[in-house]
Amino acid sequence: MRTQRQVVDYSLQKRAVLREFLAGRVGTYDVCDASPYLKNAARFHGEPTDRRCPICRSENLTLVHYIYGDELKQSAGQARTLAELPVLAMTLREFQVFVVEVCLGCDWNHLVEQYLLGRDGLTGEVDGTSEQDAAGAGGAGRRRREAQR
Ligand SMILES: [Zn+2]
């Protein structure tokens, strides 16, 4: 996504958890604890993947995108489909996205990554054009007003 920034990758932490699980130091109860809310979010807003669950190896993982930020007001903390994120990123200045992978078979879940989205990420890229656009619109307005006189 164009405005994606400050990406934090949690794959190291995930691998550590999986190592502990494979070594028998943690049980399925510890790692397969997806809440009913998370599973509902996965069902209704989740992004299916073709990656197998690392625990049960019988279901594919679903990615859930949670959004946080002051601008979201009552929507903060809700799950959104991947398709909705670019739209939000163009309307809001900045919000945080947390991506969680979930297995609907065995309830395995883990944070995958987090990042920021929003129009603030466009500064620098469109600095010149946005100013030109504003000037252009102003110029057109002046010309229209002059034409009316
Ligand atoms: Zn599973």
Side-chain angles (χ1 to χ4, degrees):
M1 244 163 285
R2 263 170 81 215
T3 67
Q4 190 183 50
R5 57 201 184 269
Q6 291 182 35
V7 181
V8 183
D9 182 13
Y10 290 95
S11 52
L12 278 179
Q13 287 88 335
K14 188 174 83 178
R15 272 203 290 276
V17 170
L18 290 174
R19 252 199 318 274
E20 293 292 292
F21 172 76
L22 292 172
R25 285 190 286 268
V26 297
T28 43
Y29 283 114
D30 300 308
V31 295
C32 298
D33 58 353
S35 72
Y37 300 105
L38 178 55
K39 287 164 73 180
N40 269 335
R43 274 189 204 101
F44 297 111
H45 309 285
E47 196 66 25
T49 73
D50 53 9
R51 283 185 295 120
R52 285 273 144 168
C53 169
I55 306 295
C56 68
R57 297 188 186 281
S58 62
E59 299 272 338
N60 284 351
L61 295 168
T62 304
L63 295 180
V64 182
H65 298 79
Y66 284 106
I67 53 171
Y68 289 90
D70 292 342
E71 288 173 89
L72 293 162
K73 304 207 168 63
Q74 70 276 12
S75 303
Q78 292 183 357
R80 282 288 183 271
T81 63
L82 192 57
E84 287 174 289
L85 294 182
V87 181
L88 281 170
M90 286 301 117
T91 39
L92 299 172
R93 292 184 53 189
E94 182 176 290
F95 61 101
Q96 188 90 42
V97 181
F98 288 87
V99 187
V100 181
E101 65 175 36
V102 193
C103 171
L104 290 170
C106 72
D107 293 359
W108 153 259
N109 63 104
H110 200 280
L111 185 59
V112 177
E113 62 175 355
Q114 72 174 72
Y115 49 82
L116 286 180
L117 286 182
R119 285 188 285 112
D120 273 5
L122 294 173
T123 52
E125 192 185 327
V126 292
D127 248 7
T129 47
S130 64
E131 268 167 36
Q132 271 165 21
D133 283 350
R142 265 198 306 279
R143 274 194 299 278
R144 262 199 305 279
R145 276 195 299 278
E146 276 159 17
Q148 279 165 4
R149 259 188 248 133

PDB file of all heavy atoms in Angstrom, residues 53 55-57 103 105-106 108, ligand 1:
ATOM      1  N   CYS A  53      -1.888 -23.566   8.448  1.00  0.00           N
ATOM      2  CA  CYS A  53      -1.689 -23.292   9.862  1.00  0.00           C
ATOM      3  C   CYS A  53      -0.472 -24.084  10.349  1.00  0.00           C
ATOM      4  O   CYS A  53      -0.362 -25.279  10.088  1.00  0.00           O
ATOM      5  CB  CYS A  53      -2.933 -23.711  10.629  1.00  0.00           C
ATOM      6  SG  CYS A  53      -2.694 -23.724  12.402  1.00  0.00           S
ATOM      7  N   ILE A  55       0.246 -25.031  13.257  1.00  0.00           N
ATOM      8  CA  ILE A  55      -0.051 -25.913  14.391  1.00  0.00           C
ATOM      9  C   ILE A  55      -0.816 -27.162  13.939  1.00  0.00           C
ATOM     10  O   ILE A  55      -0.360 -28.281  14.114  1.00  0.00           O
ATOM     11  CB  ILE A  55      -0.865 -25.167  15.477  1.00  0.00           C
ATOM     12  CG1 ILE A  55      -0.155 -23.880  15.903  1.00  0.00           C
ATOM     13  CG2 ILE A  55      -1.136 -26.078  16.663  1.00  0.00           C
ATOM     14  CD1 ILE A  55       1.181 -24.081  16.610  1.00  0.00           C
ATOM     15  N   CYS A  56      -1.992 -26.967  13.339  1.00  0.00           N
ATOM     16  CA  CYS A  56      -2.811 -28.139  12.990  1.00  0.00           C
ATOM     17  C   CYS A  56      -2.530 -28.620  11.567  1.00  0.00           C
ATOM     18  O   CYS A  56      -2.825 -29.769  11.239  1.00  0.00           O
ATOM     19  CB  CYS A  56      -4.304 -27.830  13.166  1.00  0.00           C
ATOM     20  SG  CYS A  56      -4.960 -26.635  11.977  1.00  0.00           S
ATOM     21  N   ARG A  57      -1.995 -27.761  10.723  1.00  0.00           N
ATOM     22  CA  ARG A  57      -1.657 -28.093   9.341  1.00  0.00           C
ATOM     23  C   ARG A  57      -2.832 -28.647   8.531  1.00  0.00           C
ATOM     24  O   ARG A  57      -2.645 -29.363   7.561  1.00  0.00           O
ATOM     25  CB  ARG A  57      -0.485 -29.093   9.292  1.00  0.00           C
ATOM     26  CG  ARG A  57       0.778 -28.494   9.884  1.00  0.00           C
ATOM     27  CD  ARG A  57       1.991 -29.358   9.675  1.00  0.00           C
ATOM     28  NE  ARG A  57       3.148 -28.798  10.384  1.00  0.00           N
ATOM     29  CZ  ARG A  57       3.889 -27.783   9.941  1.00  0.00           C
ATOM     30  NH1 ARG A  57       3.613 -27.239   8.774  1.00  0.00           N
ATOM     31  NH2 ARG A  57       4.902 -27.334  10.643  1.00  0.00           N
ATOM     32  N   CYS A 103      -6.132 -19.226  12.743  1.00  0.00           N
ATOM     33  CA  CYS A 103      -6.590 -20.489  12.161  1.00  0.00           C
ATOM     34  C   CYS A 103      -7.975 -20.768  12.725  1.00  0.00           C
ATOM     35  O   CYS A 103      -8.154 -20.858  13.939  1.00  0.00           O
ATOM     36  CB  CYS A 103      -5.638 -21.621  12.527  1.00  0.00           C
ATOM     37  SG  CYS A 103      -6.295 -23.234  12.045  1.00  0.00           S
ATOM     38  N   GLY A 105      -9.505 -23.416  12.360  1.00  0.00           N
ATOM     39  CA  GLY A 105      -9.587 -24.828  12.712  1.00  0.00           C
ATOM     40  C   GLY A 105      -9.198 -25.078  14.160  1.00  0.00           C
ATOM     41  O   GLY A 105      -9.940 -25.689  14.930  1.00  0.00           O
ATOM     42  N   CYS A 106      -8.009 -24.591  14.541  1.00  0.00           N
ATOM     43  CA  CYS A 106      -7.497 -24.915  15.883  1.00  0.00           C
ATOM     44  C   CYS A 106      -7.352 -23.704  16.785  1.00  0.00           C
ATOM     45  O   CYS A 106      -6.926 -23.835  17.934  1.00  0.00           O
ATOM     46  CB  CYS A 106      -6.150 -25.624  15.761  1.00  0.00           C
ATOM     47  SG  CYS A 106      -4.803 -24.516  15.247  1.00  0.00           S
ATOM     48  N   TRP A 108      -5.281 -21.231  16.568  1.00  0.00           N
ATOM     49  CA  TRP A 108      -3.956 -20.604  16.605  1.00  0.00           C
ATOM     50  C   TRP A 108      -4.099 -19.161  16.163  1.00  0.00           C
ATOM     51  O   TRP A 108      -4.871 -18.852  15.237  1.00  0.00           O
ATOM     52  CB  TRP A 108      -2.995 -21.341  15.663  1.00  0.00           C
ATOM     53  CG  TRP A 108      -1.876 -20.488  15.114  1.00  0.00           C
ATOM     54  CD1 TRP A 108      -1.818 -19.925  13.865  1.00  0.00           C
ATOM     55  CD2 TRP A 108      -0.673 -20.098  15.785  1.00  0.00           C
ATOM     56  NE1 TRP A 108      -0.654 -19.225  13.726  1.00  0.00           N
ATOM     57  CE2 TRP A 108       0.080 -19.303  14.885  1.00  0.00           C
ATOM     58  CE3 TRP A 108      -0.152 -20.341  17.059  1.00  0.00           C
ATOM     59  CZ2 TRP A 108       1.317 -18.758  15.223  1.00  0.00           C
ATOM     60  CZ3 TRP A 108       1.083 -19.802  17.382  1.00  0.00           C
ATOM     61  CH2 TRP A 108       1.806 -19.027  16.470  1.00  0.00           C
TER      62      TRP A 108
HETATM   63 ZN    ZN B   1      -4.730 -24.570  12.943  1.00  0.00          ZN
END
